[in-house]
Amino acid sequence: MLAAAGCAGIGTPASPAGVLNIGQVQDVATWDTGQGHNGHRLVAFQTAYDTLIRREPDGTLVPMLATAWGYTDDTQTTLALTIREGVTFSDGEALDAEAVRASLEHFRTANGPQAVQTADVAEVRVTGPYRVEIELAQPNPALEFYLSQAAGMIASPAALGDPALDRTPVGSGPYVMDEARSVTGDRYVFRARDGYWDPSLQQWDEVVLKVLAEPTARINALVAGQVDGTQLLPRNTTQAENAGREIVNRDVNWAGLMLFDRDGAVAPELADVRVRQAINLAFDRQVAVDGLLGGYGTPTSHVFGEASTAFDPALDDYYGYDPQRARELLAEAGHPDGFTLSMPFSANTNDAIPFVVQPLADIGITVRAASVPGQAAQSEIGSARWPAAYFPIFQGPTWMAVEQMLVPQTLYNPFRSEDPRLDGILDRLRVAGPDAVDEAREMARYVTEQAWFAPWARMGNTYAFDGGKVRVEPQIGQVVPSIYNFHPAG
């Protein structure tokens, strides 16, 4: 059954107004959709690339390049999509079913940071000039969501495989890069694209993405009026408010430690669940919320947020603050004198160092904090060099969270940890579908009991903007709102 659509999603033509300046937390290393990423970089890709499906601010999935879609079988393994007609890419190539197939196949084989999104895709078939079928090897409850994210970005088939795509995006999106005025690593200038198929999504004459990796640089640029919107650390929000800037706060991420090395490849101590449980007991979570997050957060002991069917309020207090019991568990595990644990920190996570180091020192664990460049933070985490790390990550819908944190192929499971009991739960959850509650909560409880992570809080993420120039609609599940959510004030 195909979801409704036809011309849905095409609004009244807008008259773009002025220039929107956005402060980017991270640079875009490549504009190749095969290496496309979510998180902070998604808004950058949205300037030049349309996705098959678009997410409204409230998370509702609506048509974009796909005008209709739906599963054709009860096993939920064949998704059929009808592709929008009359769309062209910025290089003049036409969008059709073959162009969609080429982009999806490119994403599948590029081994990018979000490759897990298409790991279950067995085949992409063209069944008509504007019709595509995606055949899955097994059901994936998050597939439609993924088609609104990195996996759903469609590039011109003529640009795929061309090294020039690293430097210049070639999509069907609302804006086109002005190469002459763009400087790699510093700023990327985009102009509203003539003839774009949905002018209502073009709110600006130009969008300028300014790379500001340092938190201090972001707040200074915001206060000085050099950027109209950017993500801030909690410690910078008061300065922003004093300068008359507005703050959007959403519990998007969870904050705490990811205990990667569960088999003890680099840190043998972490192979013992008692050690991981001891680490959880070392933290006074309210202290972290108040001191590190500036009060923007809710203490919790589990990593699934309110957008997930795995969310279980009963798990919020699963691990209390009990350093004495933590020391006892370490002794039972054979480490009465503690041990040393190495972790990476960057400019965007350095504020967390005292909140990691001191509580663990109190139970006998010495943290060796290593400095890594902010631009390389995610790749470092995925390198299997570090047994643990502090790095806030997205709390998404259930199956997306599973594939982001738990399956062996994901960036945030760098040591490829597996657990037979967890695998069995996930197999049942996969078949049960995106609305399953019992299986999802069983998974959440088991992961919490096994202490795969040491979360502190559902983290309030702060995005600040100049309300005199721009109106920003928060995007559920995103720290940085989608490019379509930035509107001229008034």
Side-chain angles (χ1 to χ4, degrees):
M1 195 76 169
L2 293 183
C7 292
I10 298 181
T12 303
S15 297
V19 179
L20 172 67
N21 293 284
I22 296 178
Q24 283 285 106
V25 173
Q26 294 174 315
D27 191 14
V28 178
T30 172
W31 294 96
D32 184 339
T33 53
Q35 301 299 318
H37 205 17
N38 299 332
H40 305 294
R41 296 188 184 96
L42 182 60
V43 67
F45 276 84
Q46 288 174 333
T47 56
Y49 294 107
D50 292 325
T51 47
L52 288 167
I53 298 171
R54 182 169 64 84
R55 290 178 74 228
E56 293 277 24
D58 66 358
T60 303
L61 298 178
V62 298
M64 201 169 199
L65 293 183
T67 60
W69 64 89
Y71 283 99
T72 64
D73 58 340
D74 292 338
T75 63
Q76 304 264 294
T77 54
T78 302
L79 183 71
L81 302 101
T82 301
I83 307 306
R84 189 177 299 278
E85 299 184 35
V87 176
T88 59
F89 295 97
S90 58
D91 63 356
E93 292 283 323
L95 173 76
D96 57 14
E98 180 55 37
V100 170
R101 187 204 65 78
S103 267
L104 290 172
E105 290 290 0
H106 177 68
F107 189 89
R108 285 181 65 202
T109 58
N111 195 32
Q114 298 296 324
V116 69
Q117 294 186 355
T118 53
D120 290 324
V121 174
E123 183 184 4
V124 181
R125 294 188 294 267
V126 171
T127 58
Y130 293 95
R131 187 177 171 90
V132 172
E133 289 186 350
I134 301 174
E135 186 77 25
L136 300 176
Q138 55 188 341
N140 188 311
L143 179 61
E144 292 163 275
F145 177 86
Y146 289 155
L147 296 181
S148 74
Q149 304 291 295
M153 296 175 191
I154 305 301
S156 168
L160 296 175
D162 185 343
L165 193 60
D166 285 337
R167 302 184 303 275
T168 307
V170 186
S172 63
Y175 302 93
V176 61
M177 181 183 283
D178 186 331
E179 296 178 67
R181 297 165 59 204
S182 298
V183 180
T184 300
D186 180 69
R187 68 184 58 217
Y188 301 95
V189 180
F190 289 85
R191 293 177 283 101
R193 188 171 156 236
D194 293 337
Y196 180 61
W197 63 271
D198 188 355
S200 70
L201 297 180
Q202 290 176 306
Q203 299 288 321
W204 306 91
D205 294 312
E206 289 187 356
V207 175
V208 181
L209 307 174
K210 299 182 178 180
V211 181
L212 300 169
E214 295 292 328
T216 301
R218 292 199 297 277
I219 182 61
N220 288 343
L222 180 71
V223 170
Q226 296 168 351
V227 298
D228 305 312
T230 192
Q231 185 190 357
L232 297 181
L233 294 182
R235 62 176 161 88
N236 295 133
T237 55
T238 299
Q239 183 181 352
E241 290 173 328
N242 289 342
R245 302 304 185 253
E246 298 183 28
I247 305 291
V248 171
N249 176 55
R250 282 283 180 92
D251 285 357
V252 174
N253 294 345
W254 65 266
L257 298 186
M258 291 183 279
L259 306 178
F260 297 130
D261 194 11
R262 301 163 195 123
D263 295 323
V266 174
E269 299 87 356
L270 291 184
D272 193 315
V273 66
R274 292 170 296 185
V275 172
R276 303 195 301 269
Q277 291 169 339
I279 289 172
N280 271 272
L281 292 168
F283 297 108
D284 185 329
R285 288 165 169 79
Q286 190 62 54
V287 167
V289 168
D290 294 339
L292 176 63
L293 305 181
Y296 292 102
T298 304
T300 188
S301 295
H302 77 119
V303 297
F304 297 95
E306 296 180 2
S308 169
T309 57
F311 176 68
D312 184 353
L315 294 177
D316 278 345
D317 300 321
Y318 188 86
Y319 292 104
Y321 173 51
D322 193 344
Q324 177 59 38
R325 179 57 183 152
R327 286 188 289 269
E328 292 171 358
L329 283 171
L330 288 180
E332 292 172 14
H335 310 290
D337 299 321
F339 60 95
T340 298
L341 199 57
S342 296
M343 299 187 201
F345 293 89
S346 70
N348 288 308
T349 57
N350 281 340
D351 285 2
I353 290 176
F355 296 91
V356 175
V357 171
Q358 190 57 55
L360 292 182
D362 289 344
I363 67 169
I365 298 175
T366 300
V367 174
R368 187 172 294 146
S371 179
V372 300
Q375 184 67 20
Q378 283 179 313
S379 60
E380 283 287 338
I381 282 172
S383 69
R385 293 179 55 206
W386 308 99
Y390 172 86
F391 192 81
I393 60 172
F394 173 48
Q395 291 185 309
T398 302
W399 197 254
M400 184 202 170
V402 166
E403 295 199 315
Q404 178 176 244
M405 298 184 293
L406 304 183
V407 299
Q409 306 97 315
T410 185
L411 176 71
Y412 298 116
N413 186 358
F415 290 91
R416 308 298 182 244
S417 301
E418 294 187 80
D419 179 306
R421 181 176 168 188
L422 178 61
D423 289 346
I425 299 172
L426 295 181
D427 286 344
R428 288 188 282 110
L429 177 59
R430 180 192 292 275
V431 174
D435 299 322
V437 174
D438 291 345
E439 295 85 353
R441 287 193 169 189
E442 181 185 359
M443 169 198 64
R445 177 165 290 276
Y446 185 70
V447 169
T448 304
E449 291 170 349
Q450 293 299 303
W452 273 37
F453 310 94
W456 302 342
R458 292 187 290 280
M459 178 181 179
N461 296 96
T462 49
Y463 194 85
F465 60 95
D466 181 351
K469 180 177 178 181
V470 61
R471 176 173 60 86
V472 177
E473 291 182 88
Q475 178 80 39
I476 190 168
Q478 290 178 203
V479 178
V480 180
S482 291
I483 193 65
Y484 328 108
N485 299 14
F486 291 84
H487 310 279

